[in-house]
């Protein structure tokens, strides 16, 4: 999956089972314009890739434990790139968090619409995940490196490639259409997405008119596979938090007191074991779940994409895609227990786990949080004291694929890749999309991306497929040109 593809035969595609025929837009721009845009993208692609490599070299991380100066440097670099496209009104903006500390710097630029044409907001984020264990990386995380048709480095895919796709597509359209391009364009490049977007809602409220638009393109998702593009039409919601199990007021000698009482890590493990049934389905009562998906993965494809070890049985029931997109998934992502290297012979009085639960579309996050609270409190093992602490909440998202913007996007994806695109769900969550829909209830939101199943976003050896990156730039350029020609009324 590391070689570039201009398109793959239909019989080599995954079993999509869902045709986009009839939902894609009829082409309005002429074939000459399509060819001119493709030429413009190709002419500048080497420079686009080089600039992306420069951005990868800036370790802008919005977490408190990392140097904020690097995040500021990232914002300044992105702002300079936006100005180079010819945008005059370019700003670096931020809001304060609830504790009074400053949020991440966002880059915002706006080009007003002309002649009654719609405005499109192009979103991506310039902050990145921490590199993690550097020993797991084949190359330095903040030095971009090309290998076998892919670009490796932290942020190469998530989401600095999204920024460059927006900028390169806009530049290509401007070079071809010039004054004939009347579409309003707003760039919104967030600076704290990987830290949970803590000031996003406040930012929307303070800059509501600046960010107001008719279409929003969020370039922070994935394609179905290398050579096969996708429009992400659903995202799961999210709740997280912690629960603690306590059995003693303080630690006691395991030899003197062990036996009549079980230690907290053991009881925490027993409580965690109640979260799933014997098949691996989430066992929390009252959660929304369904098996209605139009696109499915084979078990072999999932195992390859997720690097599942041989012999490990897959969990859950129903189609694999439903387990990924339209059913809840519950993970324990952290535990507070003594580390093995410093463990002593004592009965541990308390142990804590952090959970992350993905929610099916249609699930109310508050109801899901209460369902999980009720579960852990009612399943307290051996009468242990359980303390449940809720954390973040985020709504699920689904796209109206009959909208004019979605039809244009599907046409552009097919034109750029030379193969019919897939409408797919994503198991992940982008909670701020719910904020966008609440702030702008009439906006048409499209979730696109430059990643593929082997991009390994958030993990070591994150990478971008260079051939598909070129296709993504062209697809967005075609979409901008088509929306400029036909608007949103068709």
């Amino acid at each position: 999956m590391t070689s570039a593809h201009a398109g793959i035969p239909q019989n080599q595609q995954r079993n999509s089972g869902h045709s986009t025929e009839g939902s894609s837009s009829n082409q309005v721009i002429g074939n000459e314009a399509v060819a001119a845009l493709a030429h413009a993208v190709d002419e500048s692609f080497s420079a686009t890739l080089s600039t992306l490599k420069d951005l990868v070299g800036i370790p802008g991380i919005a977490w408190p434990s990392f140097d904020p100066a690097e995040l500021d440097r990232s914002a300044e670099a992105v702002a300079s790139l936006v100005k180079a496209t010819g945008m005059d009104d370019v700003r670096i903006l931020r809001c304060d968090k609830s504790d009074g500390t400053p949020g991440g710097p966002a880059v915002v630029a706006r080009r007003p619409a002309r002649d009654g044409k719609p405005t499109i907001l192009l979103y991506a984020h310039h902050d990145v995940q921490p590199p993690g264990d550097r020993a797991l990386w084949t190359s330095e995380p903040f030095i971009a490196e090309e290998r076998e048709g892919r670009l490796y480095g932290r942020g190469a895919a998530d989401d600095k490639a999204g920024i460059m796709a927006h900028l390169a597509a806009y530049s290509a359209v401007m070079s071809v259409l010039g004054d004939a391009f009347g579409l309003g364009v707003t760039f919104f490049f967030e600076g704290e997405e990987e830290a949970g977007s803590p000031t996003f809602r406040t930012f929307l409220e303070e800059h509501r008119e600046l960010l107001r638009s008719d279409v929003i393109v969020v370039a922070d998702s994935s394609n179905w596979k290398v050579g096969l593009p996708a429009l992400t039409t659903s995202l799961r919601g999210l709740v997280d938090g912690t629960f603690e199990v306590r059995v003693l007021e303080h630690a006691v000698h395991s030899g003197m007191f062990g036996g009549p009482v079980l230690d907290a890590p053991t009881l925490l493990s027993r409580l965690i074991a109640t979260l799933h049934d014997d098949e691996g389905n989430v066992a929390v009562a009252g959660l929304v779940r369904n098996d209605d998906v139009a696109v499915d993965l084979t078990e072999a494809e999932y195992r390859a994409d997720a690097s599942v070890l041989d012999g490990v049985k897959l969990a859950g029931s129903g189609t694999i895609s439903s387990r990924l997109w339209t059913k809840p998934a519950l993970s324990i992502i952290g535990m507070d227990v003594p580390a093995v290297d410093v463990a002593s012979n004592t009965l541990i009085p308390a142990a804590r786990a952090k959970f992350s639960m993905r929610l099916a579309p249609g699930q109310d996050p508050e109801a899901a949080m209460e369902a999980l609270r009720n579960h852990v409190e009612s399943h307290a093992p051996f009468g242990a004291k359980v303390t449940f602490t809720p954390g973040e909440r985020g709504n699920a998202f689904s796209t109206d694929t009959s909208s004019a913007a979605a039809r244009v996007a599907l046409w552009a994806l097919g034109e750029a890749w030379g193969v019919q695109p897939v409408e797919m769900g994503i198991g992940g969550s982008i909670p701020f999309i719910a904020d966008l829909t609440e702030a702008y209830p009439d906006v048409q939101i499209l979730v696109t991306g430059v990643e593929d199943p082997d991009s390994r976003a958030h993990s070591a050896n994150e990478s971008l497929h260079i051939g598909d990156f070129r296709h993504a730039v062209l697809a967005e350029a075609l979409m901008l040109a088509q929306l400029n020609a036909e608007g949103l009324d068709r």
Side-chain angles (χ1 to χ4, degrees):
M1 295 178 64
T2 58
S3 61
H5 296 281
I8 58 178
Q10 186 73 25
N11 61 7
Q12 292 181 10
Q13 295 180 16
R14 288 178 169 166
N15 178 26
S16 69
H18 184 64
S19 171
T20 58
E21 291 179 6
S23 62
S24 61
S25 173
N26 295 322
Q27 181 176 335
V28 173
I29 60 175
N31 290 331
E32 289 186 3
V34 171
L37 287 168
H39 179 72
V41 168
D42 289 339
E43 282 284 290
S44 61
F45 188 69
S46 178
T48 298
L49 193 62
S50 177
T51 303
L52 175 57
K53 292 177 181 179
D54 292 340
L55 288 181
V56 170
I58 305 175
I61 301 169
W63 296 22
S65 52
F66 290 85
D67 184 1
E70 294 291 356
L71 191 62
D72 291 338
R73 186 161 72 97
S74 177
E76 290 163 1
V78 170
S80 295
L81 294 174
V82 176
K83 290 176 183 176
T85 68
M87 285 270 194
D88 295 325
D89 183 15
V90 183
R91 316 179 199 182
I92 297 178
L93 304 170
R94 68 175 83 218
C95 295
D96 286 343
K97 302 176 187 176
S98 57
D99 62 2
T101 59
V107 178
V108 181
R110 187 171 180 88
R111 175 187 190 269
R114 300 198 320 267
D115 306 321
K117 293 186 181 294
T119 294
I120 185 167
L121 185 148
L122 304 176
Y123 169 94
H125 61 87
H126 67 86
D127 67 303
V128 299
Q129 281 278 320
D133 185 354
R134 289 177 183 263
L136 298 176
W137 287 78
T138 303
S139 55
E140 283 297 312
F142 294 108
I143 299 177
E145 181 176 303
E146 285 188 52
R147 297 196 303 272
E148 298 180 344
R150 301 187 73 95
L151 181 67
Y152 288 82
R154 177 59 85 223
D158 183 19
D159 186 30
K160 290 176 176 178
I163 290 175
M164 290 310 303
H166 288 325
L167 295 178
Y170 175 77
S171 296
V173 170
M174 290 299 294
S175 69
V176 171
L177 298 184
D179 290 340
F181 185 66
L183 204 67
V185 176
T186 300
F187 292 121
F188 177 21
F189 299 143
E190 190 189 353
E192 58 180 19
E193 194 274 346
E194 298 292 10
S197 302
T199 70
F200 191 91
R201 189 57 183 258
T202 303
F203 194 95
L204 280 186
E205 292 170 356
E206 290 191 11
H207 303 290
R208 184 181 297 265
E209 292 308 312
L210 179 64
L211 300 176
R212 186 175 295 281
S213 57
D214 302 290
V215 179
I216 297 175
V217 178
V218 177
D220 195 18
S221 186
S222 178
N223 290 303
W224 184 244
K225 64 184 293 184
V226 169
L228 183 54
L231 182 67
T232 297
T233 57
S234 72
L235 297 160
R236 286 192 292 198
L238 171 70
V239 295
D240 67 19
T242 64
F243 50 87
E244 181 190 72
V245 171
R246 178 171 289 276
V247 294
L248 300 166
E249 292 185 0
H250 56 79
V252 295
H253 194 291
S254 61
M256 297 291 291
F257 296 99
V261 65
L262 295 177
D263 58 88
T266 295
L267 294 184
L268 177 62
S269 300
R270 293 176 69 95
L271 178 56
I272 290 172
T274 71
L275 298 175
H276 297 85
D277 64 21
D278 290 342
E279 286 189 276
N281 297 294
V282 176
V284 176
L287 298 177
V288 173
R289 61 195 82 205
N290 67 73
D291 205 15
D292 182 20
V293 292
V295 185
D296 197 17
L297 288 153
T298 66
E299 180 171 335
E301 288 168 335
Y302 175 80
R303 284 181 172 276
D305 292 346
S307 67
V308 179
L309 297 178
D310 290 343
V312 174
K313 180 183 176 182
L314 298 190
S317 58
T319 62
I320 291 177
S321 289
S322 70
R323 286 178 253 174
L324 286 170
W325 308 337
T326 61
K327 292 183 177 181
L330 179 52
S331 304
I332 299 301
I333 61 173
M335 296 179 68
D336 288 336
V337 295
V340 171
D341 290 344
V342 296
S344 62
N345 277 321
T346 55
L347 296 178
I348 307 303
R352 188 171 65 140
K354 181 167 185 177
F355 65 87
S356 173
M357 185 162 69
R358 305 291 174 162
L359 311 177
Q363 174 71 67
D364 174 41
E366 292 293 341
M369 188 77 83
E370 285 308 302
L372 187 54
R373 179 200 296 273
N374 292 336
H375 180 96
V376 298
E377 290 178 349
S378 64
H379 286 77
F382 287 83
K385 180 182 179 182
V386 174
T387 302
F388 182 90
T389 304
E392 297 294 325
R393 302 162 180 82
N395 283 295
F397 166 76
S398 59
T399 300
D400 175 9
T401 54
S402 68
S403 70
R407 290 187 292 105
V408 169
L410 289 167
W411 167 78
L413 290 168
E415 190 74 20
W417 263 265
V419 63
Q420 183 175 293
V422 168
E423 298 171 23
M424 61 180 271
I426 289 288
S429 308
I430 308 180
F432 67 75
I433 288 184
D435 294 328
L436 289 172
T437 57
E438 290 178 18
Y440 310 110
D442 297 325
V443 74
Q444 298 179 36
I445 298 180
L446 304 173
V447 182
T448 64
V450 294
E451 299 174 30
D452 62 80
D454 200 35
S455 288
R456 305 187 191 184
H458 295 201
S459 300
N461 300 307
E462 176 183 343
S463 70
L464 172 75
H465 188 276
I466 295 172
D468 274 3
F469 177 48
R470 180 264 177 195
H471 296 331
V473 174
L474 177 57
E476 186 162 303
L478 293 171
M479 181 175 64
L480 292 174
Q482 180 89 330
L483 285 173
N484 180 70
E486 74 168 60
L488 297 173
D489 297 329
R490 291 185 55 187

